[in-house]
Amino acid sequence: MFAYIVRRLFSGIVMLIVMSFVTILLFFSSAVDPARVMCGKSCTPERIEQTRKALGYDKPAVQQWTAFLGGVVKGREYPADEALRKAAPQLVVDCHAPCLGYSTVTQQSVGSTLWTKLPVTGSLAIAAFIMWMVVGVGLGIISALFKGTLLDRAIVGSSLLFYAFPTFAIGIALYTYLSLKWHLVKIPAYTPISESPSAWLQGLFLPALTLALVYIAGYVRLTRAFVLESLSEDYLRTAKAKGLAPRKILFKHTMRAALTPVVTAAGLDLGGLLGGAIITETIFNYDGLGKLAVLSNAQFDLPMIVGIVLVAATFVILANLIVDLLYALIDPRVKYA
Amino acid sequence: MSTSATTDHAARGASGSGDVPALLSVRELRVHFPTEDGVVKAVDDLSFDLAPGATLGIVGESGSGKSVTSQAIMGLHRGTRAKVGGQILFDGVDLLTISDEELRRRRGQDVAMVFQDPLSALHPYYTVGNQLVEAYRVHHDVSKQAARARVIEMLDRVGIPSPQARFGNYPHEFSGGMRQRAMIAMALINDPRLIIADEPTTALDVTVQAQILDLLVGLQKEFGSSIIIITHDLGVVAEMADDILVMYGGKAVERGDADTIFYSPEHPYAWGLLRSMPRMDRLRTERLVPIAGNPPSLINLPTGCSFHPRCEYATAELGCFTTAPPFDAESDHPVRCLIPHTERLDIFENSVRPSL
């Protein structure tokens, strides 16, 4: 098991390295010159050249990439060009590991910018996750148990409705009615949990609900399908034939098998969400990774984009690993070595 | 018990004498499944008796209603769309009318079941020991330790080596034969009076099949349970059954003791089953004779005798295409066939028996 985890982590790191190379190619494929962006509006050709050298954008792709990897592992110094560093040692900036470079727009360190956005996105993703798991899985189980009844149809039908509407429509509708018109919910805003847990929760409610609604729809259907499949398994017939009480059959024999695939999907979805909920964050002006991604794209902030991609990829890779480990925990037939 | 004359006749034959009160009396059992395409008459007008300690073999092709019958006895159709009618009297109590709770108490305790494929019938996520302990503790208010001791004793009884160690294994860590032994241990753990074995050897290697049957027979002697063994394999019932019920298209077409069914069967379908059974005492050059055609759709049963499309003796003059055959009063055991009794005996003696 331990060897398996180590192997998976190793392959995850290899994957990240490959991804970093691919994303760094953005600097070359894009029509925008990052040095030009960094340099600002009143810029002379000489200063662009100097900026390019300082940031190392004059080097070939592979060299830029290895410099980037070196920065992530052991930090790096700017200006990237050695001659420039020698010429003005007082201007040398030390970027500590893991160094992801500097935003060409805000001149801030990419690493520390991402670090400040992470709790915002994290709060949103986890709150939404809890909502959709409780409501989505719960309703899915209910609708499977009452298959074919009016209740089942109502649950599946209404979840389909939310599934069909795009997030921005649901989000804007909730925002307009619940918050602006009816004043049922405070206008959403992010407050760090360390400042005030209740304000954190209140500010989180609407965006998390918006995000959760879309997932709830999917999870109702997913859970319903797997519970129904599990209900028709031979071992459930055995459980009934033993004379077990219905509740025990449901919780011990049906749920564990039915929820295995749901856990898989949930882990992967959460992993994906931690990389940023672009639409929801934008609608509710939540200053997380998703909104940052949109902004960085609009401003051609290439170092920031590379950073966001890598952080999001890390979450997905970790989520995959955790899901696989959970699988082994739930299903004794799964063995890793 | 007031039943019609035909039913009395129908019940006669199986279980031999009427002196011992039957443990199980099935009367005019009907199991119908309404579907969008029509009503599936999985079991129709089925009656039989089973004496305490006796073994009944139910034989038929896939879709003949064998398994549906066994599930009806276990009450497994409750809460589904199936419409179940008639009576299933277990020790005089109609299992179709008792409450869910009462039925639940009887499942596993009075009637236990061994399923066809032990790999899918055992829960893959729980150890074999856990599942047996659970089966025991549903009906016995004992500590986990006591239940564990009982389970290990039962695993030992069904011939699982080092049961102490095997207790903590998962079903996938058992071989097919061992899994079926564990299933049998689970069925017997509460000392049930009736065991229903639904194709208990079908999913097993041929080499293991005989072992499992021997085990069932041996345990039956020891525990004194009645057994209903459901199979499509006449070889299996030849080894075990006292009485045999041949089902076709959801109905009993012939019923009698094992000797009658094997040596003087009267229904053309029973002849077909016998002819298609491989036998060790025959020359290998002789070919098996399959029954032509396919089992009928239970939604659209053929009119008249539902076996007529596959029956080489069916004729319009006999009414095979239009009249559903009742049990033939001429015969000494229940047979649903329109061919006159004497003619049937004649056909069997002269053209069927020589090819067996």
Side-chain angles (χ1 to χ4, degrees):
Chain A
M1 184 66 126
F2 181 71
Y4 173 79
I5 296 175
V6 170
R7 220 168 48 235
R8 281 289 301 268
L9 285 174
F10 180 75
S11 72
I13 289 168
V14 171
M15 221 181 302
L16 283 175
I17 291 173
V18 172
M19 284 192 74
S20 67
F21 182 68
V22 174
T23 39
I24 277 179
L25 288 180
L26 281 176
F27 287 78
F28 298 88
S29 63
S30 122
V32 178
D33 178 2
R36 175 75 190 77
V37 175
M38 185 74 160
C39 188
K41 283 205 174 102
S42 53
C43 198
T44 60
E46 294 81 46
R47 282 191 56 199
I48 292 182
E49 271 324 298
Q50 203 170 11
T51 315
R52 189 185 321 279
K53 274 192 165 178
L55 296 173
Y57 295 154
D58 56 332
K59 305 261 170 41
V62 174
Q63 263 187 48
Q64 280 197 41
W65 175 55
T66 49
F68 176 83
L69 288 183
V72 172
V73 177
K74 56 183 193 351
R76 63 195 282 200
E77 284 182 338
Y78 284 99
D81 192 76
E82 207 175 329
L84 282 178
R85 279 207 301 276
K86 285 234 176 80
Q90 75 281 3
L91 291 179
V92 170
V93 186
D94 186 26
C95 179
H96 301 287
C99 174
L100 295 170
Y102 291 90
S103 159
T104 51
V105 176
T106 63
Q107 330 280 321
Q108 300 287 311
S109 140
V110 169
S112 58
T113 308
L114 293 180
W115 192 248
T116 58
K117 309 291 184 189
L118 214 52
V120 182
T121 290
S123 306
L124 185 57
I126 290 170
F129 175 76
I130 293 171
M131 280 189 198
W132 95 60
M133 285 304 276
V134 171
V135 180
V137 173
L139 288 179
I141 292 170
I142 292 172
S143 98
L145 294 181
F146 294 92
K147 186 195 166 201
T149 64
L150 209 62
L151 183 64
D152 172 33
R153 276 176 219 175
I155 290 172
V156 172
S158 54
S159 70
L160 197 63
L161 196 71
F162 284 115
Y163 201 61
F165 272 107
T167 316
F168 62 81
I170 295 175
I172 291 171
L174 287 178
Y175 199 172
T176 312
Y177 287 96
L178 294 187
S179 192
L180 299 179
K181 288 204 169 153
W182 301 336
H183 305 290
L184 294 174
V185 189
K186 261 178 55 175
I187 290 175
Y190 179 73
T191 317
I193 192 168
S194 52
E195 247 170 59
S196 157
S198 71
W200 172 77
L201 206 60
Q202 283 181 19
L204 203 56
F205 180 74
L206 264 195
L209 180 66
T210 303
L211 201 50
L213 276 174
V214 178
Y215 284 94
I216 283 173
Y219 277 74
V220 164
R221 298 174 71 82
L222 189 75
T223 309
R224 181 178 180 274
F226 281 107
V227 169
L228 284 178
E229 188 185 308
S230 176
L231 282 174
S232 65
E233 292 282 358
D234 283 358
Y235 52 75
L236 274 199
R237 200 179 50 190
T238 312
K240 268 187 225 155
K242 277 182 190 177
L244 288 185
R247 202 186 317 158
K248 188 147 197 194
I249 296 178
L250 181 63
F251 287 107
K252 184 174 169 185
H253 292 258
T254 314
M255 284 312 153
R256 192 165 157 195
L259 295 188
T260 312
V262 177
V263 166
T264 310
L268 298 182
D269 279 341
L270 180 62
L273 262 190
L274 285 171
I278 291 172
I279 295 169
T280 310
E281 286 179 16
T282 308
I283 295 170
F284 293 98
N285 201 19
Y286 246 59
D287 218 356
L289 289 175
K291 199 180 152 210
L292 182 66
V294 176
L295 203 65
S296 306
N297 266 294
Q299 297 173 330
F300 298 104
D301 192 346
L302 291 173
M304 195 63 88
I305 294 171
V306 172
I308 294 171
V309 167
L310 291 183
V311 166
T314 307
F315 281 125
V316 172
I317 288 168
L318 282 180
N320 261 293
L321 176 61
I322 291 170
V323 161
D324 282 347
L325 294 179
L326 276 179
Y327 230 95
L329 209 64
I330 301 175
D331 187 339
R333 288 170 299 183
V334 179
K335 284 244 160 53
Y336 300 122
Chain B
M1 182 176 35
S2 63
T3 41
S4 65
T6 46
T7 313
D8 281 340
H9 179 77
R12 191 158 53 81
S15 87
S17 69
D19 304 341
V20 191
L23 176 68
L24 181 75
S25 294
V26 172
R27 289 286 169 275
E28 291 163 351
L29 179 67
R30 265 177 293 108
V31 185
H32 293 180
F33 298 93
T35 69
E36 281 173 18
D37 301 325
V39 179
V40 175
K41 296 180 176 172
V43 177
D44 213 16
D45 193 16
L46 179 71
S47 302
F48 62 83
D49 280 339
L50 179 63
T55 301
L56 171 72
I58 302 184
V59 185
E61 287 164 300
S62 314
S64 60
K66 301 166 296 181
S67 293
V68 174
T69 305
S70 67
Q71 284 166 24
I73 298 170
M74 292 299 291
L76 292 175
H77 294 306
R78 285 205 186 186
T80 71
R81 281 173 308 162
K83 302 253 181 297
V84 185
Q87 284 183 312
I88 297 174
L89 299 166
F90 184 87
D91 217 5
V93 178
D94 188 353
L95 297 182
L96 293 180
T97 57
I98 58 178
S99 69
D100 286 355
E101 187 55 28
E102 169 70 14
L103 179 72
R104 191 178 73 69
R105 270 202 302 278
R106 284 172 176 271
R107 281 178 184 160
Q109 170 118 296
D110 284 343
V111 189
M113 201 153 175
V114 177
F115 293 100
Q116 175 173 346
D117 179 2
L119 184 57
S120 60
L122 288 167
H123 201 300
Y125 291 1
Y126 297 101
T127 62
V128 170
N130 180 327
Q131 298 186 53
L132 269 80
V133 162
E134 184 179 67
Y136 190 58
R137 290 186 77 203
V138 185
H139 301 295
H140 293 85
D141 191 15
V142 295
S143 70
K144 279 195 173 138
Q145 285 74 20
R148 187 192 157 93
R150 166 78 177 164
V151 167
I152 289 171
E153 179 202 331
M154 285 306 301
L155 289 177
D156 192 35
R157 284 273 263 292
V158 297
I160 289 176
S162 48
Q164 293 269 6
R166 292 308 223 150
F167 183 91
N169 282 162
Y170 288 95
H172 68 273
E173 296 169 318
F174 275 52
S175 68
M178 286 298 153
R179 273 197 289 270
Q180 194 58 295
R181 283 172 193 269
M183 271 304 301
I184 292 172
M186 184 150 90
L188 284 169
I189 200 161
N190 293 308
D191 225 338
R193 290 198 280 167
L194 173 62
I195 298 165
I196 301 174
D198 188 355
E199 305 258 9
T201 58
T202 309
L204 302 179
D205 285 348
V206 185
T207 46
V208 182
Q209 290 184 1
Q211 294 174 15
I212 294 294
L213 292 180
D214 285 349
L215 177 69
L216 270 176
V217 173
L219 290 168
Q220 179 184 27
K221 284 206 183 91
E222 194 179 328
F223 286 78
S225 328
S226 303
I227 293 184
I228 294 178
I229 186 154
I230 291 167
T231 180
H232 61 266
D233 183 352
L234 275 178
V236 169
V237 286
E239 194 153 337
M240 292 187 66
D242 302 312
D243 298 317
I244 295 173
L245 172 70
V246 182
M247 287 190 74
Y248 188 83
K251 287 193 159 113
V253 292
E254 183 162 7
R255 193 177 59 240
D257 56 48
D259 280 350
T260 308
I261 301 298
F262 275 101
Y263 299 109
S264 47
E266 294 192 24
H267 198 282
Y269 179 60
W271 300 340
L273 287 178
L274 280 177
R275 276 198 284 214
S276 58
M277 182 174 78
R279 295 176 56 152
M280 297 299 282
D281 54 353
R282 290 287 156 173
L283 289 175
R284 258 201 258 169
T285 49
E286 287 178 26
R287 298 217 139 222
L288 293 176
V289 187
I291 306 175
N294 289 309
S297 146
L298 293 170
I299 294 180
N300 255 324
L301 276 174
T303 54
C305 172
S306 48
F307 186 59
H308 84 251
R310 306 171 71 186
C311 179
E312 51 187 301
Y313 310 103
T315 61
E317 294 79 67
L318 292 172
C320 294
F321 307 148
T322 48
T323 315
F327 285 114
D328 184 359
E330 296 284 309
S331 177
D332 60 348
H333 66 278
V335 182
R336 278 188 206 271
C337 185
L338 293 170
I339 305 170
H341 181 61
T342 47
E343 197 177 319
R344 264 200 322 259
L345 294 181
D346 195 50
I347 297 173
F348 180 71
E349 281 308 321
N350 297 322
S351 51
V352 179
R353 193 198 287 281
S355 65
L356 285 182

